[in-house]
Amino acid sequence: MESEAKFPTFKCFITNAQEDYDSGVWEFFRHYDVILSDLGQLKLDDGEWKENYIQLMRYYHDLGDSIIMKRNSPDSGFMTALISKEIEGTDAEDVLLRTKDRVVATLLRTGADLEILMAEYVRLSKIPRFSGSFSLSRFEGFRLLAKSLYSRGIEISKR
């Protein structure tokens, strides 16, 4: 007879308790780390925009810290200058078909991954023990970051 073994848990800094791995927080932050890695890769692949990627990575890191530590969101104002007005009427397929630079695919994929992360974020915001950390103001920062990446992809695809 098999004993009643339990899956391990992890120490969650948001709730200050042991949480199950399927609570949503663990998945959110693993997905968060994948996107951070993609931003680091973009910094290397798109040297012309290197300083912007560094600034975006710092913002993104600070945004993650603000979720965990329940601090004020970092200032996202700098991203408005990075967002193109063309973003609303541009189709991702058109951008990918016209581009001659593979970094555009990475930009669009990372932006799409951010949107998936935002769906995870919204789900966590509805769970009472996590809701204080997953606020609307922090959510807006993720949206601006995704738009910044899409805008960069549009810009590069026109070359």
Side-chain angles (χ1 to χ4, degrees):
M1 181 170 195
E2 190 173 323
S3 68
E4 292 291 322
K6 290 188 175 190
F7 284 101
T9 59
F10 71 97
K11 172 71 174 183
C12 178
F13 291 111
I14 293 171
T15 62
N16 201 27
Q18 293 298 120
E19 294 283 346
D20 292 326
Y21 279 91
D22 67 350
S23 66
V25 172
W26 185 86
E27 294 101 323
F28 176 86
F29 281 103
R30 293 307 60 79
H31 194 170
Y32 171 95
D33 287 343
V34 168
I35 293 168
L36 183 61
S37 177
D38 287 345
L39 290 171
Q41 187 65 51
L42 284 163
K43 175 185 67 89
L44 299 173
D45 292 344
D46 183 11
E48 178 185 327
W49 229 52
K50 179 180 179 178
E51 293 306 315
N52 288 328
Y53 292 119
I54 290 170
Q55 193 173 13
L56 290 171
M57 288 173 67
R58 287 186 178 138
Y59 171 81
Y60 186 72
H61 177 268
D62 291 347
L63 187 57
D65 278 356
S66 78
I67 292 169
I68 294 167
M69 305 306 230
K70 299 177 186 168
R71 291 189 216 143
N72 290 335
S73 301
D75 183 13
S76 62
F78 74 96
M79 284 188 275
T80 57
L82 303 176
I83 300 171
S84 167
K85 291 184 181 7
E86 292 179 65
I87 194 170
E88 297 305 323
T90 303
D91 184 59
E93 180 185 18
D94 293 338
V95 172
L96 292 167
L97 286 172
R98 77 173 167 240
T99 192
K100 294 176 179 86
D101 192 330
R102 65 185 315 129
V103 77
V104 172
T106 304
L107 284 159
L108 269 58
R109 186 194 67 236
T110 304
D113 280 346
L114 271 163
E115 291 178 350
I116 294 167
L117 184 79
M118 289 163 27
E120 294 172 7
Y121 186 100
V122 170
R123 275 192 291 280
L124 288 167
S125 76
K126 295 175 182 177
I127 299 171
R129 69 184 185 277
F130 301 130
S131 62
S133 289
F134 292 86
S135 67
L136 182 58
S137 64
R138 289 185 189 99
F139 179 84
E140 289 301 319
F142 288 113
R143 281 191 51 222
L144 290 173
L145 180 55
K147 286 184 173 191
S148 298
L149 297 176
Y150 285 132
S151 293
R152 179 63 178 161
I154 292 167
E155 178 187 333
I156 293 172
S157 75
K158 292 180 177 180
R159 298 179 183 166

